[in-house]
Amino acid sequence: MNEKKGILSDIFLQPTCEERPDRTTLAALAAISAVAMCVTSCKKEQVGVYELNEVPLVSTAAEKDKIKTNQQFVSILYTNLFQTALSGSETFELDQLFQSVGDLEISKEVLISNFFNQAGVQLPTVEEMNADIETFITDTYKRFFVRLPNEAEKAWVRNFIQSNAYMTPELVYFSFAMSNEYQFY
Amino acid sequence: MNRRSFIKKSALTTAGALVAPYILPSGRLFAPTGSRSAQHVVLVMFAGGVRHQESIDKLYLEGSQVIDPYPGNIMYNMLTGEAPTMKIAYGTGEGGINPIPMLDYYATNGSLQSQGTLFSEVRAFSSGHFGGLNSIVQGADMVGQGLKQRPLNPTIFEYLRRHGGYKATDVWFVGNGIDGSVPLLNYSANPDYGIKYGANFFAPTVTFSEIGQDNFSNAKIYHPENELAPMYALKTFLDNTFAQYGGALDAIGNTEEEKQLIKTFMNEMYTKVSDGTFLRPPVFDNGDALNVGFAAEVMKYFKPAFMCVNLNNVDVCHSNFTSYVKALHRADHSVVTCGISSKTIRNWRKHRYHLYS
């Protein structure tokens, strides 16, 4: 039979009687297995706890090197001011309007001032701004620039707001929306 | 020094003396003489396939009616020549049978042609739409020029602003719309010129349309000192912070005063459009007529040194000859009407306007 062994017969070949373990060996193995099973089954299961390190998911100004298209600008601006999305048709219309005026700065200023004349702009009041100016500044940077202000920026903006009696959240938002950084992503 | 050397050196010295005064330290090519032949120049572009037959040659139906040819001048405000008296299809009313009357001013003083100079043969660099407009504003051919790309060479607007010292609101381009890359023509992609020397631009039939009324006409008015000044101051701080990362935007360069002027103009126009009181030719049943009316408003308000106006309704002959001659007839009527209808332009001889079309 061994002479006729081929590749397939190697696979399907069963062990002979001489190659089988004897009964004593099998009993010993069964006993060891039973003991091992008892030991492991009694062991308290360890529950792994996995956590992620906290990583701040905010960009920096240095990463912003692409200019927003007209459509990106108006839809992001609308979302920032109204906290809701601008429809596709309105985005398209505003893009057309922007193309029809040569000076984009003028288009943007006019559009922002029109937005501020509409109901629904999500703005803190002057009292809320002054009550917690640090939070207001941080929130404004996060809302418009998608980043946190550094200490120098916070200090300058805080002093500026506090030293200008006419400064309102609306004017602060206007400045941020018109700033160069807001034109990039 | 031998004779040959003397002549050579003398010639070089003379050439230098002739050339030097034109290269000025200010970067201007020429010193202003203060005696310009015109204080204001208007360039009107008839885009889209105006042929000699129906314009300069005044042939009307001469070439197209085999059995009964019929010539005539359908642009009689601009060009000198008798109008057709029969087979009129370019006027108003059903079938276009009522020609738009010649304006009194030109009936009295003669056509525009008789008052100026007509170049009847001009070589075109390109006969394509964007190519043709591009060639006119940059004075060069279209080699290497993409269709959705700003002119590669400096435009006339940039030359005027950089070398003539004109401010942004002195130079205007009034487009007939935003299709066909028209909004790309107000400045070039040339790195030595570009946006900071560009012209102000409106496509009025879009800017002052219904969508303009909906989105731009209700602008909030801010106090210039109490509100706008601190707003711009904060913006400047934010821009300076961002500038350290190289983030800066070039702009056309309207001063704050000019920006306010443009915004005021826009507000006035929205009111005029709403009231139906903006300047228009007597017949204004197509986009070109409206565009020329808006251009006249720009002329009246800003008194630009140079303005370019683009008309496009004549680009219909591909499918409809009657509509083409109608548009041509209206273009003639619109351009000259608005040339004399605004108060400023009514005195355009006094203001020394030159009209090129």
Side-chain angles (χ1 to χ4, degrees):
Chain A
M1 183 180 172
N2 286 342
E3 291 169 5
K4 294 178 182 176
K5 275 198 300 186
I7 296 171
L8 291 176
S9 58
D10 280 344
I11 296 170
F12 295 108
L13 199 62
Q14 297 298 314
T16 60
C17 290
E18 291 78 13
E19 291 168 324
R20 288 175 186 161
D22 59 18
R23 288 180 180 177
T24 312
T25 310
L26 284 174
L29 282 171
I32 291 166
S33 299
V35 170
M37 286 172 71
C38 288
V39 169
T40 53
S41 63
C42 292
K43 194 175 180 182
K44 190 179 178 183
E45 186 180 353
Q46 288 186 342
V47 179
V49 178
Y50 298 96
E51 290 182 335
L52 295 174
N53 293 331
E54 282 195 13
V55 178
L57 293 175
V58 287
S59 61
T60 65
E63 294 169 1
K64 298 173 184 171
D65 56 359
K66 291 184 276 295
I67 295 179
K68 291 174 185 168
T69 63
N70 291 341
Q71 296 201 5
Q72 287 168 339
F73 176 84
V74 297
S75 58
I76 293 169
L77 173 70
Y78 190 89
T79 306
N80 286 158
L81 294 182
F82 294 90
Q83 300 291 298
T84 181
L86 186 66
S87 73
S89 60
E90 286 172 308
T91 306
F92 177 73
E93 284 181 355
L94 288 173
D95 179 29
Q96 286 191 309
L97 266 183
F98 273 33
Q99 288 183 60
S100 77
V101 181
D103 192 332
L104 263 181
E105 283 188 4
I106 290 176
S107 298
K108 287 172 181 174
E109 284 187 25
V110 171
L111 180 68
I112 295 168
S113 60
N114 269 266
F115 278 164
F116 279 127
N117 247 355
Q118 291 179 21
V121 179
Q122 302 295 307
L123 268 174
T125 63
V126 177
E127 292 74 26
E128 286 169 342
M129 176 180 78
N130 290 330
D132 189 354
I133 201 159
E134 294 283 334
T135 304
F136 170 76
I137 293 168
T138 303
D139 287 349
T140 305
Y141 267 85
K142 282 161 69 175
R143 182 187 279 212
F144 286 91
F145 291 170
V146 201
R147 70 176 175 89
L148 296 169
N150 60 35
E151 290 306 314
E153 288 172 324
K154 263 196 280 192
W156 195 95
V157 176
R158 184 181 60 242
N159 290 337
F160 184 81
I161 292 173
Q162 289 173 337
S163 58
N164 281 277
Y166 294 99
M167 213 58 195
T168 61
E170 180 178 324
L171 293 180
V172 174
Y173 280 17
F174 206 128
S175 305
F176 272 73
M178 282 304 300
S179 69
N180 284 346
E181 184 171 345
Y182 192 64
Q183 317 308 316
F184 287 79
Y185 69 99
Chain B
M1 185 183 295
N2 61 29
R3 184 168 174 271
R4 179 174 290 177
S5 173
F6 172 77
I7 291 171
K8 187 179 176 184
K9 286 182 178 175
S10 300
L12 284 172
T13 307
T14 307
L18 286 170
V19 170
Y22 300 97
I23 305 170
L24 303 175
S26 64
R28 285 183 168 187
L29 294 176
F30 304 99
T33 60
S35 58
R36 286 175 290 179
S37 63
Q39 300 298 315
H40 311 275
V41 173
V42 183
L43 172 66
V44 183
M45 305 194 289
F46 287 66
V50 177
R51 308 192 304 180
H52 262 237
Q53 285 98 312
E54 294 81 26
S55 56
I56 303 288
D57 295 342
K58 302 147 198 163
L59 293 174
Y60 188 39
L61 303 179
E62 175 76 13
S64 60
Q65 304 284 292
V66 178
I67 298 172
D68 188 11
Y70 198 77
N73 175 20
I74 63 171
M75 301 177 71
Y76 34 73
N77 291 289
M78 285 188 167
L79 304 172
T80 305
E82 292 301 315
T85 55
M86 294 168 60
K87 295 190 176 181
I88 295 166
Y90 49 81
T92 57
E94 192 173 351
I97 59 171
N98 306 310
I100 304 172
M102 188 179 190
L103 296 170
D104 289 344
Y105 175 85
Y106 294 97
T108 307
N109 297 290
S111 70
L112 203 61
Q113 176 185 347
S114 68
Q115 299 178 49
T117 306
L118 175 69
F119 295 95
S120 59
E121 298 280 348
V122 178
R123 178 170 171 258
F125 281 123
S126 169
S127 56
H129 283 249
F130 188 56
L133 299 177
N134 221 314
S135 299
I136 292 172
V137 297
Q138 68 175 341
D141 62 23
M142 278 279 287
V143 175
Q145 176 75 56
L147 292 177
K148 290 190 173 181
Q149 187 180 26
R150 290 196 175 273
L152 297 177
N153 301 297
T155 60
I156 187 170
F157 313 114
E158 294 156 81
Y159 281 125
L160 282 167
R161 289 200 56 204
R162 180 169 174 184
H163 301 295
Y166 292 99
K167 60 184 192 290
T169 47
D170 284 336
V171 183
W172 281 86
F173 177 43
V174 179
N176 63 304
I178 57 171
D179 293 332
S181 299
V182 167
L184 302 181
L185 292 168
N186 62 328
Y187 61 87
S188 73
N190 188 294
D192 295 329
Y193 291 81
I195 187 170
K196 57 183 178 291
Y197 300 112
N200 270 298
F201 169 77
F202 274 135
T205 51
V206 177
T207 312
F208 304 114
S209 66
E210 194 178 333
I211 59 171
Q213 292 278 358
D214 290 345
N215 295 286
F216 275 8
S217 67
N218 192 27
K220 205 167 184 176
I221 307 297
Y222 293 101
H223 192 283
E225 291 167 9
N226 296 340
E227 294 178 313
L228 282 182
M231 192 274 283
Y232 285 129
L234 178 53
K235 178 188 177 315
T236 303
F237 165 75
L238 298 172
D239 290 348
N240 288 341
T241 307
F242 191 54
Q244 65 185 303
Y245 303 108
L249 279 175
D250 279 331
I252 282 181
N254 286 302
T255 61
E256 289 308 321
E257 191 179 289
E258 287 178 301
K259 280 185 192 171
Q260 294 308 318
L261 205 61
I262 293 171
K263 285 192 263 187
T264 308
F265 171 76
M266 290 171 73
N267 274 337
E268 286 185 15
M269 287 308 301
Y270 287 122
T271 307
K272 285 184 177 182
V273 170
S274 180
D275 298 343
T277 55
F278 68 100
L279 290 172
R280 282 160 298 184
V283 176
F284 53 95
D285 56 3
N286 71 359
D288 281 353
L290 292 173
N291 198 42
V292 172
F294 285 120
E297 290 280 5
V298 171
M299 289 169 71
K300 185 179 171 185
Y301 195 87
F302 295 100
K303 301 176 182 61
F306 179 76
M307 185 172 74
C308 182
V309 186
N310 183 36
L311 308 181
N312 201 55
N313 281 141
V314 291
D315 181 29
V316 70
C317 202
H318 303 279
S319 57
N320 194 321
F321 180 79
T322 306
S323 296
Y324 161 68
V325 288
K326 277 185 174 178
L328 207 52
H329 188 57
R330 280 152 181 75
D332 169 76
H333 166 72
S334 306
V335 171
V336 295
T337 305
C338 285
I340 60 171
S341 61
S342 84
K343 275 186 183 174
T344 303
I345 307 157
R346 194 174 294 151
N347 300 319
W348 71 349
R349 283 169 180 256
K350 175 184 159 193
H351 286 272
R352 299 164 79 185
Y353 271 86
H354 276 195
L355 174 68
Y356 296 92
S357 62

